Amino acid sequence: MNNKAVINADVTKGTINKNIYGHFAEHLGRCIYEGFWVGEDSEIPNTNGIRNDVVEALKNINIPVLRWPGGCFADEYHWKDGIGPRENRKRMVNTHWGGVIENNHFGTHEFFMLCEMLETEPYICGNVGSGTVQEMSEWVEYMTFDGESPMANLRQENGKQEPWALKYFGVGNENWGCGGNMRPQYYADLYRRFQTYVRNYGENKIYRIAGGPNVDDYNWTEVLMREAHHLMDGLSLHYYTIPGDFWLGKGSATNFPEDEWDITMQKAYHIKELIEKHSTIMDKYDPEKRVGLIIDEWGTWFDVEEGTNPGFLYQQNTIRDALVAGVSLNIFNDHNDRVQMTNIAQTINVLQAMILTDKEKMILTPTYHVFEMYKVHQDAEKLALDIQSATKKIADKEIPQVTASASKAKDGSINITLCNIDKDNETELTVDLRGANLSDISGRVLTANELDAHNTFDNPDKVKPVSYTDFQVNGSELSLKLPAKSVVAISIK
Ligand code: AHR
């Protein structure tokens, strides 16, 4: 079958919320400590304790929003342990992640400082599982109250006069699991109660995110929407792409059997069905689509790299991860009517990371490059796109070989991102691009020869985007050759 697409440059389908390109950083393994935070006395170049190389690299992908402090860690985190002089901060055990000492040197002030450096919106996840309503309410007061109050006074004693602006706040994490093993009815009631005290102080208006379902737990969505949709702005969804079995063996990030490529692509594509089915339930209670579906954890989850702490979730990142990212982001863009934010897990050294570090060294992963290639979609107008693609049958599911997104940026340029998931074969795609002038076209491609091609500290640029010219223009038609296992970005000025 010939792959064909029609893009109508005059028909827009709403804005692609830039927060779809959001990230997640947890106190887990070497994400916060070593990844972001090295401390002011470190020999690794830093600004007030935060690594300069990492900030510079992340600024280049325009991180719009950063979720912190967890994850499962959030429901064990007591924010008052992480304020005041660092030498006096409580040392605790990170029981969920590796049983290591957490010295609380990275706390609320450090997180906001990081967000300022990255020019990103903070998204804080509060503690419902082991915390109290008072603790959550005081955290919000500490961060956002302008004037005299016990928590605002405490913040000022700790050196911050003006409140911070905080928009996104999550009321617990995975409350069906590590966040308290609750049933949906019980959590819905707790959500209603806790969120009451997540106050809007002064001009600060908080977007409240309720803890949502695990994967395909549609009953959770039903109960939460029925009982609390009027009290939330967003409902989260977590879904990880795991080629194997979560408990019995997830599969290796590199050096995997060939058939795991296809399984991984099929599992990544499954997020489309999850979005559509959860959205159908949300539509019943919120036909105006006011409540956002917030996919605040997604990405690949493989077995940890040999010799590393199993609780640190450190994995390599290959061209396969790049395809998972590209396919997922195309799907999120396509569901921009309901998907208002997503946060890939996790930014540095954990799961599907953007960056890996080894002491003073840092490398960018293939996933980083996909986020860089796709950043043009942030806050752009989605364009009407119809695509007919050959399909692949994998484990009884048909999935398209080629997926795509198209958007128009504020400067009028048109950007198209494309993924060919076929590991062996290049493919052709003809795009009928109506209403656009095709005189000034440029492109980049991310691809590789081996299925597990990846960057290492010795060879950091093995997988990176290069110029792409394998296209032809004929009138309003653009014909493209997409290499096997590739992500392609086209820009039309
Ligand atoms: O991202 C790793 C963990 O996965 C998070 O802490 C948790 O929310 C999820 O189960």
Side-chain angles (χ1 to χ4, degrees):
M1 175 188 174
N2 289 337
N3 301 309
K4 284 189 199 149
V6 178
I7 295 174
N8 203 322
D10 297 324
V11 181
T12 54
K13 299 273 184 184
T15 305
I16 296 172
N17 195 321
K18 66 177 179 190
N19 290 337
I20 284 177
Y21 292 81
H23 293 257
F24 170 38
E26 179 167 12
H27 287 237
L28 193 179
R30 299 186 300 114
C31 183
I32 296 294
Y33 300 107
E34 286 190 47
F36 283 111
W37 180 260
V38 287
E40 287 145 344
D41 300 332
S42 171
E43 284 178 3
I44 298 173
N46 70 85
T47 303
N48 302 329
I50 293 173
R51 286 179 79 126
N52 294 343
D53 52 356
V54 154
V55 169
E56 192 192 335
L58 293 177
K59 278 186 87 166
N60 186 39
I61 55 171
N62 296 351
I63 291 193
V65 60
L66 184 63
R67 178 174 184 249
W68 173 85
C72 296
F73 183 79
D75 280 288
E76 298 194 9
Y77 183 61
H78 301 287
W79 67 271
K80 283 186 184 164
D81 297 345
I83 56 170
R86 277 191 210 108
E87 62 278 12
N88 299 340
R89 292 188 194 172
K90 193 176 190 173
R91 287 162 70 80
M92 64 182 270
V93 180
N94 190 336
T95 41
H96 207 92
W97 300 119
V100 291
I101 295 288
E102 160 67 58
N103 64 14
N104 276 301
H105 280 195
F106 190 92
T108 305
H109 291 249
E110 290 78 14
F111 175 61
F112 277 97
M113 178 172 70
L114 170 64
C115 290
E116 277 160 27
M117 288 179 185
L118 294 174
E119 296 175 45
T120 193
E121 284 283 346
Y123 166 15
I124 287 198
C125 186
N127 180 345
V128 172
S130 70
T132 63
V133 176
Q134 181 180 359
E135 183 181 13
M136 185 178 286
S137 132
E138 286 185 341
W139 199 6
V140 174
E141 180 189 325
Y142 184 87
M143 294 184 281
T144 63
F145 192 85
D146 191 6
E148 164 138 17
S149 84
M151 291 304 112
N153 293 352
L154 182 59
R155 183 191 69 234
Q156 292 181 348
E157 280 165 30
N158 288 328
K160 180 77 172 88
Q161 288 303 308
E162 304 298 324
W164 291 286
L166 174 68
K167 187 160 177 197
Y168 300 105
F169 194 88
V171 180
N173 168 73
E174 295 195 353
N175 305 90
W176 40 263
C178 64
N181 282 308
M182 302 174 199
R183 288 169 294 186
Q185 289 80 354
Y186 181 66
Y187 172 70
D189 282 343
L190 278 191
Y191 173 77
R192 291 168 64 118
R193 179 169 166 232
F194 272 67
Q195 70 77 37
T196 308
Y197 304 94
V198 175
R199 307 251 189 229
N200 291 326
Y201 292 116
E203 298 291 294
N204 194 72
K205 170 109 179 53
I206 291 185
Y207 182 106
R208 292 171 177 74
I209 299 169
N214 183 27
V215 190
D216 57 356
D217 183 352
Y218 299 113
N219 182 49
W220 185 280
T221 300
E222 174 73 33
V223 174
L224 262 289
M225 287 302 288
R226 188 180 69 221
E227 304 299 339
H229 69 92
H230 57 297
L231 297 172
M232 67 176 79
D233 300 297
L235 180 70
S236 76
L237 165 66
H238 288 183
Y239 175 64
Y240 285 96
T241 296
I242 303 168
D245 179 272
F246 187 86
W247 301 109
L248 301 178
K250 300 176 185 78
S252 169
T254 54
N255 202 10
F256 48 86
E258 281 210 6
D259 64 333
E260 277 189 14
W261 174 280
D262 281 353
I263 298 277
T264 307
M265 294 305 130
Q266 181 262 313
K267 292 202 173 176
Y269 195 74
H270 184 57
I271 192 92
K272 178 173 186 289
E273 178 180 322
L274 297 175
I275 293 171
E276 289 170 0
K277 289 191 172 164
H278 285 294
S279 296
T280 302
I281 299 166
M282 294 174 81
D283 285 349
K284 196 160 99 185
Y285 298 98
D286 175 38
E288 309 297 323
K289 300 188 193 292
R290 184 190 62 79
V291 179
L293 185 60
I294 308 294
I295 306 171
D296 52 17
E297 289 187 30
W298 69 275
T300 55
W301 194 328
F302 303 121
D303 295 331
V304 298
E305 290 300 310
E306 229 178 286
T308 64
N309 186 327
F312 280 15
L313 310 187
Y314 177 76
Q315 63 189 43
Q316 249 297 355
N317 194 295
T318 69
I319 186 70
R320 179 175 59 157
D321 293 76
L323 266 298
V324 169
V327 166
S328 305
L329 292 167
N330 282 342
I331 293 171
F332 300 153
N333 289 344
D334 195 33
H335 293 83
N336 64 330
D337 57 340
R338 185 61 88 177
V339 179
Q340 291 181 10
M341 185 198 294
T342 88
N343 308 78
I344 187 169
Q346 298 193 7
T347 323
I348 310 177
N349 293 330
V350 171
L351 299 178
Q352 192 174 352
M354 305 297 116
I355 286 177
L356 303 178
T357 66
D358 179 12
K359 301 188 185 70
E360 77 291 350
K361 293 190 213 146
M362 175 195 88
I363 54 174
L364 308 177
T365 65
T367 302
Y368 172 95
H369 293 303
V370 172
F371 272 76
E372 193 277 319
M373 291 164 80
Y374 275 58
K375 69 182 178 186
V376 285
H377 290 309
Q378 291 188 21
D379 273 348
E381 288 302 300
K382 186 175 91 174
L383 294 179
L385 177 150
D386 279 312
I387 185 161
Q388 283 178 3
S389 158
T391 55
K392 285 184 88 65
K393 194 159 188 207
I394 305 166
D396 286 338
K397 305 258 182 183
E398 295 262 344
I399 69 163
Q401 179 183 356
V402 179
T403 61
S405 280
S407 69
K408 190 183 267 189
K410 293 204 171 72
D411 66 2
S413 59
I414 293 171
N415 292 292
I416 308 170
T417 50
L418 302 140
C419 297
N420 174 15
I421 58 147
D422 195 304
K423 64 181 172 22
D424 303 309
N425 303 302
E426 75 163 25
T427 192
E428 292 192 18
L429 172 75
T430 310
V431 183
D432 182 3
L433 227 164
R434 299 180 188 163
N437 178 346
L438 299 188
S439 58
D440 183 359
I441 306 179
S442 59
R444 285 189 299 157
V445 60
L446 186 72
T447 187
N449 293 329
E450 307 92 50
L451 292 183
D452 67 348
H454 57 278
N455 297 331
T456 62
F457 294 97
D458 292 331
N459 190 0
D461 288 327
K462 178 164 174 158
V463 187
K464 68 170 188 187
V466 294
S467 167
Y468 169 78
T469 51
D470 216 354
F471 59 85
Q472 281 183 339
V473 177
N474 191 353
S476 73
E477 241 178 42
L478 180 62
S479 302
L480 307 133
K481 277 195 181 145
L482 305 174
K485 46 179 155 26
S486 68
V487 179
V488 169
I490 298 286
S491 183
I492 302 164
K493 302 277 180 225

